Amino acid sequence: MERAQGPAQFPLERGGTGDLLAGGADGPGRLRALTSVVLDTLETAARARGGPLPAGGPDAVARRTAALCDPVLPEEGVGAEAALADLVRAVAEGAADPADPACVAHLHCPPLAVAVAAEVAGAALNPSMDSWDQAPAAGVIEELTTAALARLVHPDAPAPDALITSGGTESNLVALLLARERAAPGPLRVMTGANAHHSVHRAAWMLGLPAPVVVPCTDGRIDPAALDRTLAALDGAPALVVATAGTTDEGRIEPLPEIADIAERYGAELHVDAAYGGPLLFSERLAPLLKGLDRAVSVTFDLHKLGWQPVAAGVLAVADTALLAPLSLRTDYLNADDDTEAGLPDLLGRSIRTTRRPDALKIAATFRALGRRGLSELVEHCVRTAEEFGRAVDARPALRRRPGPIGISTVLFRPVVADALGPEAGDAVVAEVRRTLLLDGRAVLGRAVAEDGDGHHRLWLKATLLHPVAATADLLPLLDLVAEAAERAASGEGDGGDDHSEGGGGDTAAPAEERLSP
């Protein structure tokens, strides 16, 4: 494979920080030249990939990537331009591209250009958000951003607050940590639905809490009667109920007002994991779906899902800033008492991390650029597209949608031919369809086990639609791909992708006209 050519060594000998650094007065000029290399390579590589995923499977991707990037640490450097050209080409040609309408497997969004541009500025300046003298203005931007988000989640609370986190996993961890400290001497009992994100269980384990009590679900949501019985059995012990507004597999929103009433009746606190569903608050039309969210003591809210931010962009909102007091920490080199008393802001208690990136910058840029109305339009587009996609599935005789309403922007469906084969064989066909399309590089679909209309659990293909501008027409070829792959798999013609995972290079790619790509 041809490699980009460049100077034999990184130009240390030229002198002047402009050749090395992104910051300072000279840095932007050097960064401008290197950014051009990155952007040109991204554009070329996306066309070369030709679809939402590289064809050939893990082994083929690994070989192509290593051919461009190995050794990562050579004895002599190849130069900045050549290194960027090779690595960006490798990662872009080998990317799962969420900007492609056929990349719908996960809560994996295509980032907005304004957010990515702001990310470049943040990376170049490299403020560390753990002390004022490392992030004077960035700290102010974070404060303004978290205040806006806190007021969005808890509009009627007297002193709401929010933290920027690395995502839902960290937000849920911090929520349980704060609840544990409030419950001292405890122990705190956590209860959550069988549909809860795995991070709730992991957080309890990390914090030394008893394993969460799993409350049965009905139709993918916590059964309120079962929650009532579970809380009654605790006999007043400190408890935190974790509800979900936007489940990972189905996009379902729990009955938050009813759950809040039950928790309040037994003196329990409520935390809501709204990592997926939280951005519905931007829309006046959709916000009522989250009725009761403001009754939670804490709320997880992600913007690298239905918010189109580059990873990471998580939020933990709390009803009262005093709830964050357990995170306070003093260390003389970052927030000495006399510095704080003299008026230097204390940033250390704003996270469980020390060094952390200025992730609020890209969020603030997006908010300022689009405003609440612009964000609302993008959220509503995704929800509307999912509803239209669901109707398109219903109109296809070869496909069947999971009974019930669409979950935010998640659609579960499966080929009808799988139903005729019995539970185990039918689920195997669904799994093979997904892997075949993955290894061909033609579509990135998710998978989920969920209850069917007859009460049995089956394997479904999952489309999580987060593309803020893709039209329903852009997604319809995906249904044809699924139907065709299912017919082959059910008839025994499918190979499960084994040849692809062992094959080399891009020879296994489907013809461009058969691949769904913008």
Side-chain angles (χ1 to χ4, degrees), residues 162-185:
L163 304 176
I164 299 297
T165 71
S166 60
T169 295
E170 183 185 339
S171 293
N172 286 338
L173 173 65
V174 176
L176 265 64
L177 168 64
L178 296 174
R180 184 193 71 178
E181 296 306 292
R182 293 192 298 272

Side-chain angles (χ1 to χ4, degrees), residues 46-70:
R47 291 196 177 99
R49 187 181 63 245
L53 198 75
D59 289 345
V61 171
R63 282 194 296 272
R64 292 194 294 264
T65 303
L68 286 166
C69 304
D70 191 23

